[in-house]
Structures are given as C-alpha cells and as structure tokens.
C-alpha cells in the first residue's frame, strides 16, 4: 500500500530520480522553500510503512493561479468573468524504476482530489498544466486535459471533467 504525504524533511529527496534533471532539482532544492513561502505545495507518494529517509515513488506540486478567461476555448470562456482562478499542476514526476506502472495516474487522481478540496472551499475553474514536450502533452490528453488555443503545451482540465473522473474512479 502507498500513501500521499505533504513533502517533509523525512522524505529522501536526494535519492529521487525521474530521468529529468530540472524536475529532480525542483524536488531537491526548491519544493520545500516554495512550501514555506506559500508559493506552492508538493505532495509525495511513499510506501505505507516507509521509515525516514522515506523513498519517494513520485510527486506533484500545486499552486493557485489566475487565468484570463479569454485564453480558454470559446466554449469554456462562455459566461465567465474576465479573470478567474484555477489550480496549476506545476510538476508531476515518477521515479524511473516505477514509471509505466500507473503511478502517474495515481498522482493525477490525487491532484484532482486536492483540486476538489480547494474547489469546495474557494472555487476554481479547473487544473492547468504546462506540458514540457509533445510526449507529456499526449500523456495529459489521455486524462481529458485540453490544449489552450494560444499554446498547445498549456493544458486545462475543467472542473466538470475532474468531477466525472473522480465519480468514475
Ligand atoms: C510522465 C510520467 C509522470 C508518467 O508517469 P507514469 O507513472 O510513468 O505513467 P502511467 O503508468 O500512469 O502511464 C499511463 C499511460 O500513459 C502513457 N504514458 C506514460 N508515460 C508516457 C510518456 N512519457 N509519454 C507519453 N505517454 C506516456 C502510456 O500510455 C501509459 O500506459 P502504458 O504504460 O500502458 O503504455 C513519468 O513517466 C515521468 O515522471 N517522466 C519524467 C518526467 C516527466 O516527463 N514529467 C512530465 C512533466 S510535464
């Protein structure tokens, strides 16, 4: 069994390798500082009974963001005020030895769950993500993320899709 925890000192950040150095460095050098300053929150997936330093299977980070509704598709922008709030999935990564085993999907579902907690307390139109390349874009699209008109590597998962995905899960 595995569980999602807020990143803490007890997690083995040094031992994490997802094959992408910028993502590894974010976890090692930036994630905790960002959390302390309220810039973003990072959540890690660890084995249920792990002891410190707990190996990190995967992680994601979230932050609140502001969006101009005109940057959405016309269908999504309809009836929205000019400025709206959302949640940005800033980072998502799985350790190399655990990739292609459905962990990325588990993390995305957890991120959707966190979105709903925030949505229930303060609203928000959905999750946003910047895909680092076409492969990452295709990865997100299979979960219902849609490209923004001005930049296909920026994707949006509307609240309705999130609610449906979680209801079916
Ligand atoms: C991208 C990443 C988060 C996916 O996590 P994962 O646990 O390996 O993915 P899952 O097992 O949930 O994948 C489910 C399906 O997504 C697809 N998929 C997985 N990785 C993919 C990739 N890199 N590109 C495109 N599709 C991918 C596959 O269809 C896979 O199903 P399959 O294994 O039956 O073919 C992970 O591979 C990773 O950390 N990569 C390095 C960092 C990175 O690229 N992060 C994205 C930041 S924008």
């Amino acid at each position: 069994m595995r569980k999602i925890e807020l990143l803490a000192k007890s997690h083995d950040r040094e031992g994490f390798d997802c094959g992408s150095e910028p993502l590894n460095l974010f976890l090692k050098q930036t994630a905790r500082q960002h959390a302390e300053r309220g810039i973003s929150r990072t959540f890690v997936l660890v084995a249920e009974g792990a002891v410190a330093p707990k190996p990190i299977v995967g992680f994601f980070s979230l932050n609140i963001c502001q969006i101009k509704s005109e940057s959405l598709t016309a269908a999504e922008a309809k009836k929205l005020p000019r400025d709206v709030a959302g949640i940005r999935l800033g980072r998502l990564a799985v350790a190399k030895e655990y990739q292609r085993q459905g962990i990325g999907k588990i993390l995305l579902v957890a991120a959707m769950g966190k979105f709903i907690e925030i949505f229930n307390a303060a609203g928000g139109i959905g999750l946003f993500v910047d895909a680092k390349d076409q492969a990452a874009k295709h990865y997100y699209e299979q979960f219902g993320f849609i490209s923004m008109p001005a930049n296909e590597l920026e994707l949006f998962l509307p609240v309705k899709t999130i609610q449906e995905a979680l209801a079916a899960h």
Side-chain angles (χ1 to χ4, degrees), residues 18 20 23 92-94 98-105 130-132 135-136 138-140 142-143:
C18 68
S20 162
L23 286 167
L92 171 74
V94 174
Y98 294 105
Q99 288 178 8
R100 313 295 288 227
Q101 297 172 33
I103 304 288
K105 185 177 176 188
D130 290 308
K132 67 180 175 63
H138 293 313
Y139 181 74
Y140 290 117
Q142 60 184 330
F143 299 101

Side-chain angles (χ1 to χ4, degrees), residues 2-16:
R2 299 198 177 102
K3 57 180 178 174
I4 302 271
E5 297 180 337
L6 200 53
L7 178 67
K9 278 192 177 144
S10 58
H11 298 119
D12 180 17
R13 288 172 293 157
E14 287 304 317
F16 182 83

